[in-house]
Structures are given as C-alpha cells and as structure tokens.
Amino acid sequence: MASGNAVPRAQLHIRAKGNTKCKDHSENDVIFLCQNCKTLICPTCSISIHKSHIDSFVEISKIETENKNAIQFFLNETDNVNIPKLNQEIISSRTKMSSYKPLYNNLRKKIIYNNNQCKLELDKITDVYIKFCDKMEVAAMDLIQTHITNLEERLDTLKQLSSEYKQTLQTGNAVLVYDSVSEIREMDPDIPPTPNIDMAEFTPGMARLSHLKQAIGNLKSPTDHLQTELATGGHSDQCPVVRPKQSTETGQASTGEVQYKLRDRPTVMSQFSYPDNIRWICPTSDGRAWLCDCRHLHTKARQQPRSGHTDDTTPQ
Ligand SMILES: [Zn+2]
Ligand SMILES: [Zn+2]
C-alpha cells in the first residue's frame, strides 16, 4: 500500500488513471470492483466476462472511505516517516561522498610517495652500480698501465743492453764478455703475459614491470573490471618498453644463455609442391624460408602461412 513505488498497476495502462469509463464499454461508468481480477468493471462487464466472479464484486462507492483511509495512511507514513528518512539518507550519502574525497587524496599521496621512494632507491642502486663500474675500470686501467710500464722498462733495458753489448763485442775484454754472457743467461727472455681483465657484467632485469609493481606496492580494486584495468595498466608485462639485448623468448636471461627446447616431432606449418629437389631449407628471420637445390644453385623464397609465429625451434 504505502510502498512509495510509483510504478502503476497493469490495468492503469489500459484504463487511464482517474478515467471513470469502462475500458471495454466506453459508454459505461465503472461501478464495481471485481476482487477476483482486481479490476474496476461496468454493469455490462458484470453480466458478461466477469459474470462468474459475482461473489467478489464490491461497489466502488462502498469502499471509497476505506480507500481514502488507505491514502491517508500512506500520506501519514510518507510525510512523517518516508520523506524524513529519504532526506536523512541523502544527507548521509552526501556526507559519505565528502568523506571519501580525503580518503582518495590520501591514497593518491601514498602511491606518489612510494613512487618517489622507488625512484630514490633506483637512483641509489644505479649510483652504487656506476661507482662499482668506475672502480672496476680504474682497477683494470691500473693493471694494464702497470703492464705497459713493465714492458717499457724492459724495452729501455733491452735497448740499453743492446748498445752496451755491441760495444762489448767491439772493445770489451774477455772478462766483460764473460760477465755479459752471465748477465744474458740470467735474463728472463719471456715477455710477461698481457693481464687478463675480467669485464664486469650487467644483466638487464626481466619482467621489469611486475617487479616494479611489487616495489611500488599493490593497489587493489574491490571491483573486478577495474582490477583488470589495473593488471594490464595499458602495458603488457611480457613486453618491456625497451627490450634488453639478452632477453630471450624462453626467458633464460638469468644465465645469459639462449636455450631452445627441441620438439619431439616437427610441426607442419605449410605444405607445397616444388618441381625440383630440395637440398636445403633455411629459415629467415622474417618467418620465411630459403629453399635450395644445389645442382642448379636455384633458390626460391616462400611465404610461411602464419606471420609472427613463435615456434620454439625457430629463433626469431
Ligand atoms: Zn465494461
Ligand atoms: Zn473478474
């Protein structure tokens, strides 16, 4: 009764609200309520299609007071309870709305703060790495420089001895010749080996996006479709913006090795007839293949049926 629901009942679609005429017999006023059908009917209705419902008929005028009371009850209920309730609900919703604003501001602040922390940490790590490179470089340069100095000293010594021994050969006495030979025998003829420099290595990180997300923190949405948006974030996790050189399709970058998994049996990617013998098939980087029959040195390129395939056995 006092439902506050404004959707009209089905029969109101047929007989306009407040229209006193019967929907089926427009010359008659409706005077009965057929309680069976919950429909207002005219005398013609009462002796035709509603005839068998006669026990449920009520004169409309007889229930007017009762209906007025029902309306009055609705009005009381509406004015005293439902309207104040709705007003209260609107106010509390507005309050809620304004209370969420600072919460989201706070959330944004937290995210930005963590972004900045991540940047600082990254800068720190980078700084340490760069300083390490500097140190390694200095050490390597020192080592090579020492080697060069050593070689230069040897060169000087040899040049000096060379002219000295030439002199000795021409003018030296037997003792000097003997001493010179002793000196020569004591000399180490081997040039010291070039120092081995172990180059520092840098392996770019894989799955950078997911690690960065882990680093900055997790933002969880209570709604599924927003969560999907968050997860993709407009980027694909498998595709770093700058693909590092050592990255491989098989993801073995931690060792820096490219490993291909060979299949148990070949996969047929395309079939075609060819007039000559095929001695060689060489895949090309763009997904095609060179065919070669060596007798004629005849080659033919053939398009593979699929482009951009990721066959494990074919390095891209
Ligand atoms: Zn009627
Ligand atoms: Zn009826």
Side-chain angles (χ1 to χ4, degrees):
M1 193 195 304
S3 67
N5 192 334
V7 178
R9 292 184 178 219
Q11 74 249 30
L12 295 186
H13 286 299
I14 302 159
R15 189 181 52 76
K17 184 179 179 180
N19 186 3
T20 57
K21 297 297 179 193
C22 177
K23 65 178 170 69
D24 293 322
H25 316 96
S26 54
E27 68 280 7
N28 295 345
D29 278 339
V30 286
I31 54 167
F32 298 121
L33 165 67
C34 172
Q35 292 187 100
N36 258 29
C37 304
K38 293 194 171 89
T39 306
L40 299 185
I41 57 173
C42 75
T44 311
C45 289
S46 71
I47 54 168
S48 54
I49 50 170
H50 294 272
K51 193 176 173 184
S52 59
H53 309 150
I54 190 158
D55 288 344
S56 83
F57 291 175
V58 184
E59 278 177 77
I60 304 171
S61 56
K62 292 274 160 57
I63 52 168
E64 190 179 354
T65 315
E66 190 191 322
N67 281 337
K68 275 185 172 166
N69 286 342
I71 291 177
Q72 193 54 55
F73 179 80
F74 172 81
L75 288 178
N76 290 345
E77 195 76 348
T78 299
D79 290 348
N80 299 326
V81 180
N82 288 327
I83 287 180
K85 224 187 202 172
L86 274 177
N87 277 330
Q88 194 50 50
E89 183 57 34
I90 288 169
I91 290 169
S92 80
S93 292
R94 288 225 166 94
T95 312
K96 200 172 198 174
M97 201 158 89
S98 52
S99 78
Y100 268 92
K101 250 186 175 332
L103 292 183
Y104 273 102
N105 280 338
N106 219 13
L107 199 61
R108 270 190 289 268
K109 260 186 212 159
K110 258 193 202 168
I111 292 167
I112 290 169
Y113 172 79
N114 278 283
N115 174 15
N116 287 331
Q117 289 304 105
C118 280
K119 283 177 181 167
L120 286 176
E121 300 277 2
L122 270 180
D123 284 350
K124 261 190 222 163
I125 294 169
T126 306
D127 218 43
V128 169
Y129 280 8
I130 295 294
K131 287 209 170 96
F132 182 74
C133 288
D134 293 349
K135 260 190 200 165
M136 294 286 286
E137 187 187 12
V138 167
M141 294 303 111
D142 277 359
L143 203 59
I144 298 171
Q145 188 52 57
T146 307
H147 179 64
I148 291 170
T149 309
N150 187 332
L151 295 179
E152 282 170 349
E153 277 169 6
R154 278 169 172 267
L155 186 66
D156 283 351
T157 308
L158 281 184
K159 276 181 183 167
Q160 206 186 320
L161 287 177
S162 176
S163 66
E164 206 180 300
Y165 291 159
K166 274 172 195 155
Q167 194 68 33
T168 303
L169 277 181
Q170 281 172 8
T171 59
N173 55 30
V175 175
L176 183 58
V177 169
Y178 176 83
D179 285 346
S180 298
V181 171
S182 302
E183 210 172 37
I184 288 168
R185 286 195 177 135
E186 275 173 25
M187 245 190 277
D188 179 7
D190 294 331
I191 297 173
T194 316
N196 216 0
I197 304 295
D198 283 328
M199 191 58 202
E201 260 184 66
F202 177 70
T203 311
M206 291 297 290
R208 193 175 296 148
L209 190 60
S210 67
H211 286 135
L212 285 176
K213 271 186 183 171
Q214 209 180 331
I216 194 172
N218 205 5
L219 179 61
K220 238 183 129 180
S221 160
T223 335
D224 276 352
H225 72 278
L226 287 175
Q227 194 61 49
T228 316
E229 207 169 285
L230 275 174
T232 54
H235 298 287
S236 166
D237 219 329
Q238 276 70 46
C239 247
V241 178
V242 179
R243 186 183 289 264
K245 263 190 183 155
Q246 291 179 3
S247 98
T248 66
E249 297 296 327
T250 43
Q252 299 290 326
S254 52
T255 58
E257 280 175 31
V258 182
Q259 290 183 6
Y260 297 109
K261 208 177 133 235
L262 290 175
R263 300 197 164 191
D264 295 330
R265 60 180 70 91
T267 308
V268 177
M269 302 194 67
S270 98
Q271 284 186 321
F272 54 90
S273 59
Y274 189 65
D276 295 308
N277 293 325
I278 296 173
R279 306 277 169 117
W280 306 91
I281 299 180
C282 292
T284 63
S285 57
D286 62 354
R288 294 164 168 233
W290 282 102
L291 309 178
C292 177
D293 176 3
C294 270
R295 279 182 311 173
H296 309 120
L297 285 172
H298 175 70
T299 55
K300 180 186 178 185
R302 203 183 150 85
Q303 178 83 52
Q304 295 280 10
R306 275 167 264 179
S307 63
H309 64 89
T310 50
D311 188 346
D312 287 347
T313 58
T314 312
Q316 291 288 304

